[in-house]
Amino acid sequence: MRKIIYSICFLFAVSFLIAGSCGKGGGSPAPNPCSGITVSVSGSTTNPSAPGATNGSISVTASGGSGFTYSLNGGASQASGNFTGLGAGSFTITAKNSNGCSGTASFTLTAPNPCAGVTITVTGSTGNPTTGGGNNGSINVTATGGTGPFTYSRDGVNFQSAGLFTNLTAGPYTITAKDANGCTGSTNFNLTDPCTGVTINVTAVTTNPTSAGATNGSINASASGGTGPFQYRLGTGTFQAGGTFSSLGAGTYSVTARDANGCTGTANFTLSDPNPCAGVVINHNSTVTGHIPCSAAGTGSIVANPTGGTGPYTYSLNGGGFQPSGIFNNLTAGNYNLVVRDVNTCNTAASINIPNRPQGPLFTAVKALIQANCVTCHSASNANGGMNFEVDCNIVNNRDRIQIRAVNANPSSMPPTGLLPPSERQKIVDWINAGGKYTD
Ligand code: HEC
């Protein structure tokens, strides 16, 4: 009943804080009995003695009034400040005095760490994979220390009750054991591949095909290193017991040898067709015709008539395309590079000189008479009528004019002083009748 009154007075006190007081039955609000009162709660704790145990306790006393009652986490009030039977956790204790003024304090009870001082040791044995790259390795462990039963894990996440791990490839593993209290210990293991550090060498005796395109070559391979017996395969074929592969044409072949542990080694071998040009000698046997000097176009030629090798032949002059004809015409004087190729692409190259053909006797005679009778008025420095007869080809290329002037005297004779004797003029006629070339 008092409590209710105080509560009402408290409301009044708040509502009419400035207005006045709250007296006992005086019609005005009673003063707040908790005003200026601080209820303090203090105490001591006893932690649970083991993880999960509920033998912890909290013992409190309060100050700031009298007639205290105590409640744990807002539970039922009790006269005693002792709370027992507590597990680990956080607790709030409220103390309330006889005037209803209250105070609180928080306490934390902590269970002992079950793993403190506990060392879990993982020991075991390993079985390496028995083949190169194989996955039949195993690790078999047991754990000691801590509190059984243990569970075991390869990844620290998924635990199993057995300590045996199978179907393992080579590599490092960390095995963790966990005891009944969740305490863990781990050990590293390493599984090694039986081929690590093993080198398989493959050698072979090869036999080349006996002719171009033939498939009678063979490879006779043998292996060393590793652990026999070996098996062999060609390329990506299937493994066979022997290292002999036959019926092979020219080409490069890879041979892989595999030992009893599945360790492999590979080597490449090349079979070559015999060189179709070995021992083949091709002679071009060219007939060369020289160039006629003073001709407007080339008049030389090369006519190849090869022997040796296997026809038909093709021909290339000065790096041009190969052509079926071995005849090259219209060539000026100089050096030419002729390549003759047979059906097996066996080549022979030759440097061929096309000479200028020699001066002919009729021209020689005409040239001599012109030197004697004409050059005084027909030289480089005195080229009357535009004629310089010191240059041989000027004689050749103006032969018609020479005949007209020096033989026919049309319209006037050359030399201007009178025609040459008939025998000299006949030399000009004979040369022109023969063709009038440098070589005539
Ligand atoms: C003394 C000087 C002299 C001598 C020597 C001489 N010529 Fe001439 N020649 C001339 C003169 C000047 C002309 C230019 C006038 C003319 O065309 O008549 C000429 C012009 C020519 C011409 C160019 C005109 C044409 O008709 O095409 C020819 C060709 C020629 N002479 C040939 C000869 C021959 C060949 C000889 C020697 C056998 C010769 N001359 C000796 C003085 C000479």
Side-chain angles (χ1 to χ4, degrees):
M1 203 56 193
R2 269 173 67 184
K3 201 169 165 186
I4 294 165
I5 291 167
Y6 287 139
S7 297
I8 294 165
C9 285
F10 178 71
L11 286 173
F12 273 99
V14 171
S15 303
F16 302 100
L17 200 56
I18 301 164
S21 58
C22 179
K24 266 186 196 171
S28 52
N32 179 0
C34 299
S35 175
I37 300 290
T38 301
V39 174
S40 297
V41 181
S42 62
S44 60
T45 60
T46 302
N47 286 322
S49 61
T54 56
N55 60 352
S57 64
I58 302 171
S59 180
V60 300
T61 57
S63 62
S66 60
F68 283 100
T69 59
Y70 303 90
S71 78
L72 183 71
N73 289 346
S77 294
Q78 61 182 48
S80 168
N82 294 327
F83 296 92
T84 59
L86 302 180
S90 292
F91 300 92
T92 299
I93 293 179
T94 303
K96 188 184 293 178
N97 68 14
S98 55
N99 286 333
C101 309
S102 63
T104 64
S106 293
F107 301 91
T108 300
L109 299 188
T110 309
N113 177 1
C115 301
V118 171
T119 300
I120 304 213
T121 303
V122 179
T123 58
S125 59
T126 59
N128 290 320
T130 56
T131 60
N135 68 343
N136 65 344
S138 64
I139 300 172
N140 194 8
V141 299
T142 55
T144 55
T147 307
F150 290 94
T151 56
Y152 303 90
S153 173
R154 262 174 64 185
D155 57 10
V157 177
N158 301 299
F159 283 83
Q160 63 183 47
S161 57
L164 175 63
F165 298 90
T166 57
N167 299 328
L168 304 181
T169 58
Y173 293 89
T174 298
I175 305 297
T176 301
K178 183 161 68 178
D179 79 352
N181 292 326
C183 308
T184 60
S186 61
T187 297
N188 294 330
F189 296 91
N190 196 44
L191 301 188
T192 57
D193 190 289
C195 298
T196 299
V198 172
T199 300
I200 310 274
N201 287 313
V202 182
T203 58
V205 174
T206 60
T207 304
N208 289 320
T210 54
S211 62
T215 55
N216 60 353
S218 64
I219 297 172
N220 190 359
S222 55
S224 59
T227 307
F230 290 95
Q231 292 179 306
Y232 302 85
R233 74 171 175 184
L234 194 67
T236 56
T238 53
F239 280 97
Q240 63 182 45
T244 299
F245 301 93
S246 52
S247 300
L248 304 178
T252 297
Y253 298 90
S254 100
V255 175
T256 299
R258 182 171 69 183
D259 81 350
N261 291 329
C263 310
T264 59
T266 299
N268 288 335
F269 302 98
T270 298
L271 302 187
S272 307
D273 281 333
N275 179 0
C277 301
V280 171
V281 177
I282 299 173
N283 288 310
H284 62 95
N285 298 328
S286 295
T287 300
V288 175
T289 303
H291 173 63
I292 300 172
C294 308
S295 304
T299 52
S301 67
I302 297 171
V303 178
N305 184 23
T307 56
T310 307
Y313 304 91
T314 54
Y315 307 85
S316 165
L317 194 68
N318 282 354
F322 281 87
Q323 62 180 49
S325 169
I327 301 172
F328 298 91
N329 288 321
N330 304 119
L331 306 178
T332 56
N335 288 323
Y336 292 84
N337 190 23
L338 174 69
V339 178
V340 179
R341 171 175 289 179
D342 81 351
V343 286
N344 294 322
T345 322
C346 306
N347 292 338
T348 191
S351 179
I352 297 176
N353 179 260
I354 296 204
N356 280 316
R357 283 193 236 173
Q359 196 172 294
L362 300 177
F363 173 69
T364 301
V366 170
K367 181 177 169 181
L369 77 83
I370 286 179
Q371 301 298 327
N373 300 293
C374 315
V375 163
T376 48
C377 299
H378 295 287
S379 65
S381 58
N382 185 24
N384 283 296
M387 298 287 152
N388 170 13
F389 294 142
E390 288 177 323
V391 175
D392 289 352
C393 290
N394 288 346
I395 299 171
V396 173
N397 294 329
N398 291 293
R399 58 184 174 262
D400 293 342
R401 297 308 307 164
I402 290 170
Q403 183 177 33
I404 287 167
R405 297 302 294 265
V407 176
N408 302 336
N410 174 23
S412 61
S413 72
M414 280 291 152
T417 50
L419 284 173
L420 298 173
S423 62
E424 292 296 286
R425 282 180 270 145
Q426 189 61 41
K427 290 178 185 174
I428 295 173
V429 172
D430 289 346
W431 171 56
I432 290 176
N433 285 346
K437 295 191 295 294
Y438 180 89
T439 51
D440 289 320

